[in-house]
Structures are given as structure tokens and as C-alpha cells.
């Protein structure tokens, strides 16, 4: 399938994983996304796919390599759900696709791509639809790249904050799962530092100061975004949506689900998020099958705030 496909430039060939270990990759036709509905990094890519005019297509098991499951779908991406709850990402089969054991991974006509923001740049080159990398405006391009880099740098901060105040103990691994994680990562560089994170999180030895430091870094970034939106621009880097809006919107959604008080602390930024999240691509691509989970997270966070243990209270204490 090469619907909508534009010529691929050399620059983005580097986002591709050469010689992937999983035999499934070469068999996949069209666009297949390995993702989880509630994972912000995967939501970024789904948002971009829908901006590019590709809709969610068939659902296949992530490791199904039958001929029928490997077929592409015209005008759509094939969904291969990797459950972070059932720990599908910590299986041997998935480690051969994504050696860092994280979602997303995308395969386009037998070529494997990892790293969500690289995938988005790749999609921008490969497909039509909304341009997400503002190549024709060097100033906006530099700004969009800088905001995207900041978003990537603060990726671990979202993990710390949402595991501490959102998931709390819910995502702790059993001793067996932790052993499996170490085993699967033993020959890789553990680019996402999952092993060290879970070690501290599971044994509850991450000091509160570390969590607070991550929260402060995010607060500082939101304050800067609030500042830049004061000139009335519609999106973070100007009047068109770019990859920078995508990465920041997904962080904002996750924190909104933890009841982060954006409207109280950063009203212009909250209005920006409303604008971005009302796009059909966000509603269909991001929220689609995530709506129920999102509502459940919000309800849980509201109760925690009523009990005085929520993220909202912590943020309001720090952002006066
Ligand atoms: N740098 C990677 C980060 C991917 C990542 O951390 N994904 C998270 C979900 S947002 C994940 O799969 N986490 C697994 C876990 O926490 O166990 C990217 O941008 O694609």
C-alpha cells in the first residue's frame, strides 16, 4: 500500500531500524502501529497519523504474523495493541521489535521505525495531509525543533509525575516481572532507563524530592508556554499546528487526567490545549478507544484531590 505516499527524503532514512530482529517486520504491508491507547508517546503518533489523513483500521494481535494479519489497509493504519497493563511490552516477541521495550513502534511497508518524534518526522515526509514540520519557515522550524527537544527532555518527568500522582502503586512490577525486564534488557542499552526507574518505583525508594524536582521542571515549562501564548498565537510556535504542539498536547492530556490545574495556573495554555484537543484528529486518533480510561483516570484524580492527596494540591502549593 502506498496511498498518499510522497517521495521519502534521505534525511529520514536514519530513523529506520536496520535489520530488525523480529521476523514479523518484513512481512508487514502498509502502515502498522504497535501502540497502547493510554500511552502518551503512542498517542503522539496516532494524532499525527490522523492529521496525515490515515484513520484507525483493523485491530490485530501485536505478534500475529499470519498472511491476513500482515496485510495493509488502504487509507488506514493497522492497530497492533501492545498492552502496558498486561506487560506485552516486556515479552521476548516485543523486545525483538522494540529493544527498549516501549511503545510506539511503526512499520511502513516492512521498514521499522522507533522513537515517536522521529516517526512523526518520517510520516511528515512520507504522507500528505497537515504539514507537521514547518520546513518553509526557518524561524518557526527552529522554534518547533527547540520546543520538541524540550518536550523530549522532559519525557522522564512525565513518567515520574504520573506514576507518583496518577498510577501511584498500580503499575508496580512483581519480582518475577522485574526479573524478566532485566533479562530482556541485559543486552541492550536500556535507552529509556526503564530498569532503574522500576527498581526505585517498585521498592518505593525514589525520594519525594526527586518526584518534586520533575514536577517543578514541568511547571517551569508550562509557565514559559503561557508566556509565549500571550501574543495571541493559536499554536505554540505560530498560527499553524506543528510537531511541538503534538508532543506538548500529549503531556498535557496525561496531566489533565491527573487533575493538574491548567486553567487555574496557565489559562492561555489551557485555551491552547482546548484548541488542539478539539481537532478531529485528536478526538479520533488520540481519544478514540482511550475515552473510557481517560474518564476513569479523571474520576480517580478528583477523588484523590478531595482527599487532599492529589496532584492539584501539590501543584497549587508550588505555583502560586
Ligand atoms: N523515547 C521514546 C519513549 C517511549 C516511551 O517511554 N513509551 C512509554 C509510554 S509513553 C512506554 O512504553 N513505557 C513502558 C513502561 O513504562 O513500562 C519515544 O518517544 O518513542
Amino acid at each position: 500500500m502506498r496511498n498518499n505516499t510522497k517521495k521519502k527524503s534521505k534525511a529520514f532514512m536514519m530513523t529506520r531500524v536496520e535489520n530488525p530482529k523480529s521476523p514479523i517486520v518484513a512481512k508487514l504491508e502498509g502502515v502498522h502501529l504497535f501502540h497502547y491507547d493510554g500511552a502518551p508517546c503512542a498517542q503522539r503518533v496516532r494524532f499525527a497519523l490522523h492529521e496525515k489523513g490515515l484513520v484507525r483500521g483493523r485491530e490485530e494481535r501485536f505478534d500475529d504474523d499470519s498472511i491476513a494479519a500482515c496485510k495493509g489497509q488502504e487509507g488506514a493504519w493497522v492497530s497492533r495493541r501492545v498492552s502496558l497493563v498486561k506487560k506485552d511490552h516486556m515479552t521476548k516477541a516485543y523486545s525483538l521489535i522494540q529493544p527498549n521495550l516501549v511503545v510506539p513502534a511503526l512499520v511502513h511497508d516492512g521498514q521499522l521505525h522507533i522513537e515517536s518524534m522521529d516517526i512523526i518526522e518520517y510520516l511528515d515526509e512520507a504522507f500528505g495531509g497537515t504539514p507537521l514540520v514547518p520546513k518553509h519557515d526557518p524561524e518557526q522550524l527552529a522554534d518547533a525543533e527547540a520546543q520538541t527537544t524540550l518536550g523530549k527532555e522532559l519525557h522522564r518527568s512525565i513518567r515520574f509525575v504520573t506514576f507518583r500522582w496518577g498510577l501511584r502503586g498500580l503499575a508496580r512490577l512483581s519480582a518475577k516481572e522485574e526479573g524478566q525486564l532485566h533479562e530482556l534488557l541485559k543486552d541492550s542499552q536500556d535507552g529509556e532507563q526503564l530498569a532503574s526507574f522500576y527498581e526505585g518505583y517498585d521498592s518505593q525508594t525514589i525520594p519525594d524530592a526527586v518526584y518534586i524536582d520533575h514536577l517543578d521542571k514541568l511547571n517551569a515549562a508550562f509557565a514559559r508556554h503561557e508566556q509565549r501564548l500571550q501574543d495571541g498565537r493559536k499554536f505554540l510556535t505560530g498560527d499553524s499546528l506543528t510537531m511541538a504542539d503534538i508532543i506538548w498536547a500529549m503531556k498535557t492530556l496525561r496531566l489533565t487526567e491527573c487533575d493538574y490545574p491548567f486553567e487555574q495556573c496557565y489559562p492561555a495554555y489551557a485555551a491552547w490545549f482546548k484548541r488542539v484537543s478539539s481537532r478531529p484528529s485528536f478526538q479520533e486518533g488520540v481519544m478514540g478507544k482511550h475515552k473510557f480510561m481517560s474518564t476513569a483516570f479523571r474520576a480517580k484524580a478528583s477523588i484523590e484531590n478531595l482527599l487532599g492527596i492529589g496532584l492539584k494540591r501539590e501543584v497549587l502549593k508550588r505555583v502560586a
Side-chain angles (χ1 to χ4, degrees):
M1 182 191 75
R2 287 195 184 269
N3 59 319
N4 262 345
T5 306
K6 293 198 298 188
K7 201 168 169 287
K8 294 164 204 165
S9 85
K10 249 189 169 168
F12 295 102
M13 296 302 183
M14 59 192 244
T15 67
R16 196 191 269 177
V17 179
E18 301 295 340
N19 308 317
K21 290 191 178 144
S22 171
I24 198 171
V25 171
K27 298 182 187 172
L28 300 179
E29 296 165 11
V31 177
H32 291 243
L33 181 66
F34 295 80
H35 71 115
Y36 182 62
D37 283 285
C41 309
Q43 290 169 341
R44 297 170 191 170
V45 174
R46 299 205 306 268
F47 190 175
L49 282 164
H50 286 246
E51 285 289 340
K52 294 275 145 200
L54 296 176
V55 298
R56 186 170 185 150
R58 296 189 326 266
E59 301 287 328
E60 299 290 359
R61 248 193 25 233
F62 83 88
D63 54 353
D64 189 343
D65 65 350
S66 65
I67 293 175
C70 293
K71 289 233 175 313
Q73 207 174 338
E74 197 63 28
W77 53 275
V78 177
S79 164
R80 290 185 170 258
R81 196 166 166 271
V82 178
S83 171
L84 300 189
V85 173
K86 291 188 193 148
K87 312 290 178 226
D88 288 343
H89 62 308
M90 295 181 190
T91 56
K92 182 75 189 163
Y94 189 64
S95 74
L96 299 179
I97 297 168
Q98 219 307 1
N100 293 328
L101 308 184
V102 290
V103 289
L106 178 128
V107 177
H108 183 199
D109 287 335
Q111 303 291 339
L112 173 63
H113 302 264
I114 57 172
E115 282 303 323
S116 57
M117 296 315 291
D118 290 348
I119 293 173
I120 290 175
E121 291 197 39
Y122 168 77
L123 293 173
D124 204 52
E125 282 283 304
F127 294 94
T130 314
L132 299 170
V133 180
K135 289 188 223 55
H136 303 298
D137 180 341
E139 222 174 283
Q140 193 185 9
L141 177 61
D143 196 19
E145 284 174 344
Q147 297 313 313
T148 301
T149 302
L150 178 66
K152 287 188 202 170
E153 282 165 9
L154 294 183
H155 167 62
R156 289 185 72 238
S157 298
I158 288 288
R159 187 191 291 161
F160 276 82
V161 169
T162 59
F163 274 66
R164 161 71 179 80
W165 284 280
L167 296 167
R168 295 183 184 268
L170 291 178
R172 273 192 198 116
L173 302 181
S174 64
K176 189 171 161 218
E177 287 166 339
E178 235 195 79
Q180 195 170 331
L181 177 70
H182 281 274
E183 179 61 26
L184 290 171
L185 287 172
K186 77 174 186 312
D187 299 324
S188 91
Q189 293 179 334
D190 189 11
E192 298 297 337
Q193 301 173 35
L194 274 196
S196 59
F197 172 75
Y198 276 111
E199 244 170 57
Y201 173 72
D202 294 341
S203 58
Q204 301 179 58
T205 50
I206 299 174
D208 237 29
V210 170
Y211 288 113
I212 294 285
D213 184 51
H214 283 290
L215 180 58
D216 283 344
K217 283 185 185 144
L218 288 166
N219 292 340
F222 296 134
R224 286 202 297 276
H225 290 334
E226 177 72 9
Q227 200 59 43
R228 64 170 44 230
L229 287 160
Q230 295 306 312
D231 62 6
R233 64 181 69 190
K234 285 202 196 118
F235 297 101
L236 285 182
T237 63
D239 281 331
S240 57
L241 180 100
T242 71
M243 57 194 179
D245 298 285
I246 293 184
I247 189 168
W248 282 99
M250 272 31 285
K251 291 189 197 313
T252 308
L253 172 66
R254 194 65 195 92
L255 290 175
T256 300
E257 291 168 346
C258 301
D259 218 4
Y260 187 109
F262 284 108
E263 287 199 13
Q264 254 170 288
C265 300
Y266 310 110
Y269 187 70
W272 160 84
F273 181 62
K274 258 197 193 125
R275 220 155 27 240
V276 174
S277 58
S278 63
R279 290 172 84 86
S281 55
F282 188 103
Q283 287 305 317
E284 288 153 22
V286 177
M287 297 310 286
K289 299 197 179 211
H290 175 55
K291 268 196 200 101
F292 175 77
M293 188 63 96
S294 183
T295 309
F297 270 128
R298 282 176 207 222
K300 176 178 169 294
S302 304
I303 294 169
E304 285 163 358
N305 279 318
L306 286 176
L307 296 174
I309 54 167
L311 178 62
K312 186 176 188 170
R313 188 162 160 265
E314 198 59 51
V315 173
L316 291 175
K317 258 197 315 199
R318 315 191 67 74
V319 181

